[in-house]
Amino acid sequence: GFTKQSFIDWEGKTVAVIFTKGCNLRCYYCHNTSLVYPDVINQTPDIPIEEIYEYLQSRKNWLNGVVISGGEPTIHWDLKTYIQLIKKIGYSIKLDTNGTNPQALQSLMNDKLIDFVAMDIKTILNFDAYHQITHCSQKQFNNMLKSIDIIKQSNIPYQFRTTMLSEHHTKSVLQQLNETFGIGNIKYQIYREF
């Protein structure tokens, strides 16, 4: 997907948003199912990357940055190449991620290809609780923990965020998240059914 202009995806910036196809988690409340489930993905035509670059080139004096979201962007082996091309135009890059690929995240940071990272924190950092929401494996969960550490130790601005589900995110869960991340270091979003 491609949103040509957004005022809400990177606070304080006017950005374009690129949505990559595919995700390695299966959150039951996902708002981007058309980018996640293979049977739906296969029915959705790709947007030619040339079309996106042409648009970004023509708006380089108007837009402040580009957000790369998904699905999960870091599952794509060619993500770095695409980001390099966008950076050459002169854009700042924000990456939205679920944190399951700490190697890709670290590589992008090492190469100074991302300027902001937002990581979704689905619930308390407990495998059973995470698995209940995301159907993640133990390896994926461990990778998310590594990504949290990488992000916290980085020199780039970041945000942890949680979409609150009324049936799951009780006062106790929110209190544990605040204790883990610190009040003000995690942003809460209200889940809205469509």
Side-chain angles (χ1 to χ4, degrees), residues 32-156:
N32 279 345
T33 55
S34 63
L35 298 172
V36 173
Y37 296 105
D39 54 330
V40 182
I41 289 173
N42 294 335
Q43 296 174 19
T44 307
D46 289 337
I47 299 169
I49 198 69
E50 296 80 16
E51 182 181 317
I52 293 172
Y53 290 139
E54 186 178 309
Y55 177 82
L56 293 176
Q57 187 72 40
S58 72
R59 296 297 190 272
K60 66 182 176 183
N61 295 321
W62 172 249
L63 296 171
N64 305 119
V66 175
V67 176
I68 300 179
S69 191
E72 173 51 38
T74 64
I75 65 173
H76 297 283
W77 64 269
D78 51 358
L79 176 65
K80 184 182 273 193
T81 301
Y82 289 126
I83 291 176
Q84 287 170 330
L85 292 171
I86 295 169
K87 290 290 274 187
K88 283 182 183 175
I89 298 173
Y91 285 105
S92 297
I93 302 287
K94 176 187 173 207
L95 177 70
D96 290 345
T97 183
N98 63 23
T100 54
N101 192 339
Q103 296 83 6
L105 184 60
Q106 186 70 71
S107 177
L108 292 169
M109 288 180 176
N110 289 348
D111 291 347
K112 299 183 181 350
L113 292 174
I114 51 177
D115 303 284
F116 192 102
V117 63
M119 181 176 165
D120 288 323
I121 303 296
K122 309 298 183 178
T123 186
I124 59 173
L125 301 182
N126 167 285
F127 173 71
D128 291 332
Y130 238 89
H131 180 76
Q132 180 184 357
I133 290 178
T134 66
H135 303 283
C136 67
S137 67
Q138 183 69 56
K139 181 179 180 182
Q140 288 173 318
F141 179 72
N142 293 342
N143 281 342
M144 289 178 229
L145 297 178
K146 287 178 190 172
S147 289
I148 290 169
D149 287 339
I150 289 169
I151 291 168
K152 284 181 173 180
Q153 295 171 20
S154 74
N155 291 322
I156 67 169

Side-chain angles (χ1 to χ4, degrees), residues 6-24:
S6 170
F7 300 104
I8 61 171
D9 287 278
W10 191 347
E11 192 172 337
K13 291 185 181 285
T14 304
V15 297
V17 185
I18 299 169
F19 296 92
T20 63
K21 287 183 175 182
C23 186
N24 52 356

